[in-house]
């Protein structure tokens, strides 16, 4: 029985270390990130909607996500002026479980509640992916600007 408890503890420790290794710390998030590739589960849609989706994908491929040390976030995208303006100088933080980046208005900074955007971060095969919680987009990202020496 004692041996079984040790094995379970060892397995749990291994799982927790693997999970930790697949996320980014707050300091590692800070910087400017560019979209390298887009993938996701895109449903079939009528031609006019597909054209808009293709334009949105093209805009994402030219976009950048800027996470500043003072918790200011800018999503730089040339798609709709309203979207671009809405996602400038807003607040970013990791949720209380440290599993998701929450983009929110500054007035909501003390909560995990209201979000403008949610981003789950995944690291697979040395590549960083931003998984957008409110869309089918999975973005392969590349950090183009480093802060405090963190890569």
């Amino acid at each position: 029985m004692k041996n079984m408890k040790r094995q379970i503890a060892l397995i749990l420790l291994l799982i927790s270390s693997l999970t930790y290794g697949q996320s980014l710390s707050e300091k590692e998030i800070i910087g400017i990130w560019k979209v390298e590739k887009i993938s996701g589960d895109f449903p079939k849609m009528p031609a006019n909607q597909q054209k808009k989706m293709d334009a949105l994908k093209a805009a994402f491929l030219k976009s950048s996500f800027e996470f500043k040390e003072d918790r200011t976030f800018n999503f730089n995208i040339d798609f709709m002026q309203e979207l671009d303006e809405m996602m400038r100088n807003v607040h970013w933080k990791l949720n209380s479980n440290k599993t998701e980046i929450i983009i929110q208005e500054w007035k909501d900074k003390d909560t995990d509640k209201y979000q403008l955007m949610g981003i789950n971060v995944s690291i697979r095969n040395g590549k960083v992916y931003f998984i957008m919680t409110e869309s089918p987009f999975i973005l392969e990202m590349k950090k183009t600007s480093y802060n405090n020496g963190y890569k």
Side-chain angles (χ1 to χ4, degrees), residues 47-116:
N48 62 338
Q49 288 181 348
Q50 185 63 51
K51 190 174 182 179
K52 290 178 185 175
M53 179 62 79
D54 291 342
L56 181 58
K57 285 181 191 177
F60 262 90
L61 284 168
K62 296 176 187 171
S63 72
S64 66
F65 293 68
E66 181 181 12
F67 299 90
K68 295 184 179 180
E69 199 167 353
D70 69 356
R71 302 295 182 182
T72 299
F73 173 80
N74 292 302
F75 178 41
N76 304 304
I77 187 167
D78 186 19
F79 184 67
M80 290 179 0
Q81 185 175 356
E82 297 83 19
L83 176 62
D84 189 50
E85 290 172 2
M86 180 177 73
M87 299 303 284
R88 288 201 173 274
N89 297 313
V90 293
H91 182 260
W92 77 271
K93 70 175 183 178
L94 288 174
N95 69 356
S96 57
N97 297 328
K98 309 264 188 239
T99 57
E100 179 182 19
I101 301 171
I102 296 174
I103 309 301
Q104 59 192 172
E105 294 180 16
W106 280 94
K107 67 180 179 64
D108 299 313
K109 71 181 179 73
D110 296 325
T111 70
D112 280 357
K113 301 281 183 214
Y114 186 72
Q115 299 181 34
L116 297 172

Side-chain angles (χ1 to χ4, degrees), residues 15-48:
I15 289 171
S16 67
S17 68
L18 289 174
T19 302
Y20 177 78
Q22 294 181 355
S23 62
L24 295 175
S25 70
E26 291 182 10
K27 288 183 179 182
E28 291 170 318
I29 291 168
I30 295 169
I32 298 174
W33 295 81
K34 300 268 186 186
V35 179
E36 294 283 300
K37 293 181 187 173
I38 298 176
S39 60
D41 187 17
F42 301 103
K44 294 271 186 197
M45 54 186 74
N48 62 338

